[in-house]
Amino acid sequence: MSRARQPPLVTGISPNEGISWTKVTIRGENLGTGPTDLIGLTICGHNCLLTAEWMSASKIVCRVGQAKNDKGDIIVTTKSGGRGTSTVSFKLLKPEKIGILDQSAVWVDEMNYYDMRTDRNKGIPPLSLRPANPLGIEIDKGRFPQKDLETLFPGMSADFTSENFSAAWYLIENHSTASSLKGSTILQIYFIV
């Protein structure tokens, strides 16, 4: 006499929130007897079966897709146990779009100068590997006397690694004649500040 198999039960997911295509590890009980036994996997209403990798009867790894709901259950379906239940949920986060006027955590090209995936730069701080010209436009030094800049920006610095960094000073000192910057804008910064 064979005993009927219990339906899958999802008891944990890590991480429990993220944006679309986040890789998650699902933990639980009776999650299938093998890769071919797993016939359904949804997270927040999105079918994630194509990205699912069955590891064991208590662990599945997959990627969250473009979910229909912002928060929802993780439902596993197997041939041997049928449709399961979930005691946990996943929260889908909406990625924030960064515009040209929004602050960003890193310079766009910073990863070109510091590769965290290798040990080649181990022990060297990323700021010491910064590019000499982060804006990528022609540098034109010496148009304004250093003494005048120090008077205009007391206690400030054009060194962007300094805590007292002044973007206006940096632009006036290095890019006052750049074609992508309007001369009148530089003069406005120069006289306003």
Side-chain angles (χ1 to χ4, degrees):
M1 187 168 173
S2 68
R3 200 172 119 223
R5 238 177 127 70
Q6 295 293 317
L9 173 63
V10 175
T11 57
I13 186 167
S14 178
N16 62 359
E17 64 181 18
I19 61 171
S20 294
W21 309 118
T22 298
K23 188 174 186 178
V24 296
T25 301
I26 299 166
R27 301 244 180 219
E29 302 170 8
N30 307 314
L31 301 181
T33 58
T36 58
D37 192 36
L38 182 64
I39 58 171
L41 173 60
T42 60
I43 299 176
C44 297
H46 183 270
N47 184 354
C48 301
L49 188 59
L50 289 176
T51 64
E53 185 179 351
W54 185 89
M55 308 300 276
S56 70
S58 60
K59 180 180 175 184
I60 298 171
V61 176
C62 73
R63 292 201 179 267
V64 178
Q66 296 284 343
K68 298 172 185 170
N69 306 318
D70 291 342
K71 190 171 185 178
D73 291 336
I74 301 94
I75 306 297
V76 175
T77 307
T78 62
K79 289 179 193 173
S80 61
R83 182 182 162 110
T85 57
S86 177
T87 62
V88 294
S89 61
F90 184 83
K91 181 178 180 183
L92 183 69
L93 302 175
K94 303 290 183 202
E96 290 185 31
K97 293 183 179 178
I98 297 176
I100 60 171
L101 299 177
D102 296 326
Q103 292 182 0
S104 176
V106 295
W107 286 91
V108 174
D109 290 338
E110 184 175 13
M111 293 310 292
N112 293 339
Y113 297 94
Y114 184 72
D115 188 358
M116 292 187 294
R117 293 171 292 167
T118 66
D119 289 333
R120 133 184 97 182
N121 295 326
K122 195 171 189 175
I124 301 173
L127 289 177
S128 69
L129 299 170
R130 71 185 185 275
N133 183 6
L135 295 179
I137 54 179
E138 185 179 331
I139 292 179
D140 179 34
K141 282 189 176 272
R143 297 265 312 179
F144 294 94
Q146 189 74 18
K147 182 177 69 174
D148 291 348
L149 291 171
E150 290 171 359
T151 303
L152 284 171
F153 304 100
M156 302 304 284
S157 170
D159 178 8
F160 62 86
T161 62
S162 169
E163 287 184 18
N164 300 326
F165 171 68
S166 169
W169 181 344
Y170 180 84
L171 289 172
I172 292 169
E173 183 178 69
N174 295 292
H175 302 291
S176 61
T177 61
S179 61
S180 62
L181 299 172
K182 300 284 185 201
S184 60
T185 304
I186 293 298
L187 289 175
Q188 287 173 353
I189 293 171
Y190 186 77
F191 289 110
I192 290 172
V193 179

